[in-house]
C-alpha cells in the first residue's frame, strides 16, 4: 500500500532538501576558499630567500606570522602590491645607519646598501651634478658600519700616509683591505670612501694633536689729560706708550699634518703694556673775559689746577670737553667744573656701560641662540636646517635605494618643488601642512623622528614612506597632484 502524502511529510522532505543544498554550498565554498587563500610566497630577507605557505592576505600579516620585526627605516616590497597573491615575492631589506658627508656637513643616513660603492652610486644615479658625497666609516671594526663591503664589483684605491695603492679585491670590509696593506689605524684616525671618475677610493686620514705657543702683542692704551698751563689746541706727550706681550698656548688638532681646529689652553702676560699719556690745553671759550678770569684764577690758585689735572687723569679722554670748559672758569667754577667733569665722565661711563651692556646682552643672546641651535643640530638632528641643494642630495640617495631613479626621481623632484620648493621650514598658512613633503598635520612625521620640525632627514624619510604606501611611486603621486592639485 502506497504511503499517503500528507502536508507534514511534504514539509519534512522540503526541509531535508534545503539543508542538503546548504551543506553542499558551504562545502564547495570552503573548498574554493581553501584553495584560493592558501598561497606559496617567496620571502627574501636581506638576500636569503625561502618559500612560505601562508593564508595571510597582506604582507604585514605574513611578516607577523614569520616573526619578522620591520623597523621604521627598513624597506619592504611586494610584487603583487598591497594584496598578497599566490606566488608573490616579498622582499625585506633591513636598514642600518652610517654617516655621509654632504658639502662638508656630516649627516647620519639610513641605508640598505650592501657596499659603500653602492651607497655612493645611489647619490650619483639621481643627482649626478650634486656636491661631493663621501661615506664615513667611524669604526671599521663595528659589525654594521665597519663590516660594510667597500666595492662588490671591482678594485679599490687605498690612499694613506701620502701614498696610493690598489687593492684588487674590493669585496671586503675596510678593516680587511687595510690589514692586507699593512696599514694600522690609531684611535682617532678617519676612514672614508668616495668616488672620483668611476674610481672607488678608500681614504685614511691621520688625526694627531699637539701644542702651539704663540707670542701676541698687547697694544698700549692712550690717556688724555687736561693741562690748563698749555695753550688751547696745544698737546704734549708726557709718557711714551709701549706695547706689551703675552704668550698663548693652544691645543691643536691636525688632520694629515694640517691644522683643523684649535683650543686656547692658557695665556700668560710676559710684559705689561705702558699707557701713552698726552696732555692737551683747555678749549678756548667764546667770552674773552671769562678766559682771562679763568687764566688768572688758574695762575693764582694751584689747587684747582691740581684738581683739574686729577679730574683729567681720572676721567681720561671721556670728558675732555666738559673738563676743559670748566677749567676756564673761576676757582669756584673750577670746583664746579670738576664736579661737572666727574658727572660728565660718570654719565659717559654710564652711557657707555649701558650701551655695552645692551650690546653685550644682544650679542650674548645671539651667541647663545646660535650656540643652542648648533648644539641641537649636533646632538639631535641628522640634516639640520639644510639648503635646498643639500636636501635634494639626501633625497636623491634615499629615493634611489627604493629604485626610484630616472623619471621617478624627476617626478619626486617636481612634486616637492611644487609643494615646498624643498624648504624644510615651508608651512601652508591655510592648512598648516609643513616641511618639504608638506605633511598634514606636520606632527605625523614624528614617527620618523621627534625633530621633524627642523630635521629635513626626518621629513624626507617620512615623505618617501608616505608616497610608497599611498601611491606606490613618485610618478603616481605626481599624476595625482597634476590632476587634483595635491597628493
Amino acid at each position: 500500500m502506497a504511503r499517503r502524502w500528507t502536508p507534514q511529510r511534504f514539509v519534512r522532505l522540503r526541509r531535508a532538501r534545503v539543508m542538503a543544498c546548504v551543506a553542499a554550498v558551504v562545502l564547495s565554498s570552503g573548498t574554493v576558499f581553501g584553495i584560493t587563500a592558501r598561497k606559496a610566497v617567496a620571502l627574501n630577507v636581506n638576500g636569503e630567500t625561502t618559500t612560505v605557505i601562508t593564508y595571510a592576505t597582506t604582507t604585514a600579516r605574513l611578516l607577523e606570522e614569520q616573526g619578522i620585526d620591520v623597523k621604521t627605516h627598513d624597506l619592504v616590497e611586494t610584487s603583487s602590491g598591497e594584496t598578497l597573491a599566490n606566488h608573490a615575492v616579498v622582499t625585506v631589506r633591513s636598514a642600518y645607519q652610517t654617516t655621509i658627508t654632504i658639502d662638508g656637513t656630516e649627516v647620519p643616513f639610513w641605508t640598505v646598501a650592501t657596499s659603500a660603492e653602492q651607497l655612493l652610486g645611489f647619490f650619483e644615479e639621481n643627482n649626478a651634478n650634486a656636491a661631493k658625497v663621501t661615506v664615513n666609516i667611524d669604526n671599521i671594526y663595528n659589525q654594521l658600519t665597519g663590516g660594510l663591503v667597500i666595492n662588490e664589483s671591482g678594485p679599490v684605491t687605498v690612499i694613506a700616509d701620502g701614498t696610493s695603492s690598489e687593492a684588487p679585491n674590493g669585496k671586503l670590509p675596510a678593516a680587511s683591505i687595510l690589514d692586507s696593506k699593512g696599514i694600522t689605524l690609531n684611535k682617532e684616525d678617519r676612514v672614508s670612501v668616495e668616488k672620483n671618475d668611476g674610481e672607488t677610493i678608500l681614504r685614511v686620514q691621520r688625526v694627531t694633536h699637539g701644542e702651539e705657543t704663540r707670542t701676541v702683542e698687547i697694544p698700549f692704551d692712550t690717556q688724555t689729560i687736561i693741562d690748563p698751563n698749555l695753550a688751547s689746541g696745544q698737546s704734549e706727550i708726557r709718557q711714551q706708550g709701549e706695547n706689551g706681550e703675552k704668550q698663548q698656548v693652544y691645543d691643536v688638532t691636525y688632520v694629515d699634518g694640517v691644522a683643523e681646529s684649535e683650543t686656547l689652553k692658557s695665556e700668560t702676560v710676559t710684559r705689561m703694556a705702558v699707557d701713552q699719556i698726552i696732555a692737551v690745553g683747555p678749549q678756548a671759550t667764546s667770552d674773552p673775559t671769562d678766559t682771562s678770569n679763568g687764566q688768572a684764577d688758574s695762575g693764582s690758585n694751584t689747587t684747582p689746577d691740581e684738581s683739574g689735572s686729577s679730574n683729567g687723569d681720572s676721567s681720561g679722554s671721556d670728558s675732555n670737553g666738559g673738563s676743559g670748559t670748566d677749567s676756564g672758569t673761576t676757582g669756584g667754577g673750577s670746583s664746579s667744573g670738576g664736579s661737572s667733569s666727574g658727572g660728565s665722565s660718570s654719565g659717559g661711563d654710564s652711557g657707555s656701560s649701558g650701551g655695552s651692556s645692551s650690546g653685550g646682552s644682544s650679542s650674548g643672546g645671539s651667541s647663545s641662540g646660535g650656540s643652542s641651535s648648533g648644539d641641537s643640530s649636533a646632538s639631535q638632528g641628522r640634516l639640520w636646517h639644510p639648503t635646498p641643494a643639500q636636501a635634494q642630495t639626501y633625497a636623491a640617495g634615499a629615493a634611489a635605494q627604493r629604485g626610484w631613479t630616472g623619471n621617478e626621481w624627476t617626478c619626486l623632484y617636481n612634486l616637492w618643488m611644487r609643494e615646498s620648493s624643498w624648504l624644510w621650514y615651508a608651512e601652508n598658512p591655510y592648512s598648516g601642512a609643513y616641511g618639504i613633503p608638506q605633511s598634514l598635520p606636520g606632527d605625523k612625521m614624528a614617527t620618523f623622528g621627534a625633530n621633524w620640525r627642523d630635521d629635513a632627514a626626518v621629513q624626507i624619510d617620512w615623505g618617501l614612506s608616505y608616497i610608497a604606501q599611498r601611491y606606490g611611486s613618485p610618478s603616481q603621486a605626481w599624476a595625482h597632484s597634476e590632476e587634483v592639485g595635491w597628493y
Side-chain angles (χ1 to χ4, degrees), residues 128-486:
N129 297 322
K132 187 174 183 179
V133 176
T134 61
V135 178
N136 305 335
I137 304 178
D138 294 331
N139 182 357
I140 66 170
Y141 301 106
N142 180 281
Q143 186 174 1
L144 286 178
T145 58
L148 185 66
V149 170
I150 303 303
N151 186 1
E152 290 183 316
S153 58
V156 173
T157 300
V158 181
I159 299 178
D161 302 320
T163 62
S164 175
S165 61
E166 184 179 278
N169 183 11
K171 198 174 181 179
L172 292 171
S176 300
I177 294 176
L178 296 179
D179 287 345
S180 69
K181 294 292 181 179
I183 298 173
T184 303
L185 295 179
N186 299 317
K187 183 178 180 180
E188 296 184 59
D189 290 345
R190 302 172 186 173
V191 180
S192 62
V193 183
E194 61 194 70
K195 293 191 73 174
N196 186 17
D197 294 332
E199 180 183 22
T200 302
I201 299 173
L202 178 63
R203 187 183 300 275
V204 176
Q205 293 178 300
R206 302 294 189 182
V207 178
T208 56
H209 300 276
E211 281 190 359
E212 288 187 8
T213 301
R214 303 168 191 171
T215 300
V216 180
E217 189 177 76
I218 305 174
F220 62 81
D221 292 329
T222 300
Q223 295 186 25
T224 303
I225 62 174
I226 307 299
D227 187 348
N229 294 316
L230 296 176
S232 176
Q234 185 180 0
S235 64
E236 291 180 357
I237 297 178
R238 298 288 172 84
Q239 178 174 287
Q240 190 68 46
E242 294 182 6
N243 291 330
E245 281 186 355
K246 60 183 177 182
Q247 282 192 341
Q248 295 178 331
V249 179
Y250 286 87
D251 282 331
V252 184
T253 299
Y254 303 92
V255 178
D256 282 345
V258 179
E260 180 187 64
S261 62
E262 60 184 30
T263 304
L264 180 62
K265 181 180 180 181
S266 64
E267 185 176 80
T268 305
V269 176
T270 56
R271 187 174 71 240
M272 297 293 294
V274 177
D275 290 350
Q276 180 167 279
I277 300 177
I278 300 177
V280 298
Q283 291 184 356
T285 62
S286 58
D287 187 349
T289 304
D290 290 344
T291 302
S292 174
N293 290 339
Q295 290 175 347
D297 284 337
S298 296
S300 62
N301 188 352
T302 59
T303 302
D305 293 343
E306 293 171 358
S307 173
S309 175
S310 174
N311 285 338
D313 288 339
S314 172
S315 62
S317 60
D318 291 339
S319 54
N320 290 346
S323 181
T325 303
D326 291 335
S327 66
T329 62
T330 61
S334 176
S335 174
S336 173
S339 173
S340 173
S341 173
S344 173
S345 174
S346 173
D349 289 343
S350 174
S352 173
S353 174
S356 174
S357 173
S358 173
S361 174
S362 174
S363 173
S366 174
S367 173
S368 173
S371 174
S372 173
S373 174
D375 290 343
S376 296
S377 172
S379 62
Q380 299 178 5
R382 293 194 287 133
L383 190 58
W384 200 259
H385 297 183
T387 63
Q390 289 175 323
Q392 290 161 17
T393 298
Y394 181 96
Q401 290 191 125
R402 296 177 176 269
W404 295 344
T405 59
N407 181 60
E408 294 296 339
W409 165 248
T410 301
C411 290
L412 179 65
Y413 175 87
N414 292 336
L415 179 65
W416 285 352
M417 179 61 74
R418 168 186 287 172
E419 292 290 329
S420 64
S421 297
W422 288 87
L423 298 174
W424 60 268
Y425 54 84
E427 185 169 13
N428 189 310
Y430 304 104
S431 67
Y434 188 83
I436 292 173
Q438 287 292 281
S439 170
L440 181 64
D443 59 9
K444 287 198 296 188
M445 296 184 287
T447 55
F448 278 74
N451 293 319
W452 56 269
R453 183 169 287 278
D454 299 280
D455 192 345
V458 172
Q459 298 177 7
I460 292 169
D461 289 346
W462 177 88
L464 296 178
S465 176
Y466 168 78
I467 290 173
Q469 292 179 18
R470 178 151 186 170
Y471 297 101
S473 67
S475 60
Q476 294 297 319
W478 174 247
H480 187 275
S481 178
E482 286 278 78
E483 182 179 351
V484 301
W486 55 271

Side-chain angles (χ1 to χ4, degrees), residues 56-69:
T57 57
T58 64
T59 302
R61 178 59 182 163
L62 169 66
L63 297 178
E64 184 180 347
E65 285 180 356
Q66 299 300 314
I68 298 174
D69 184 19

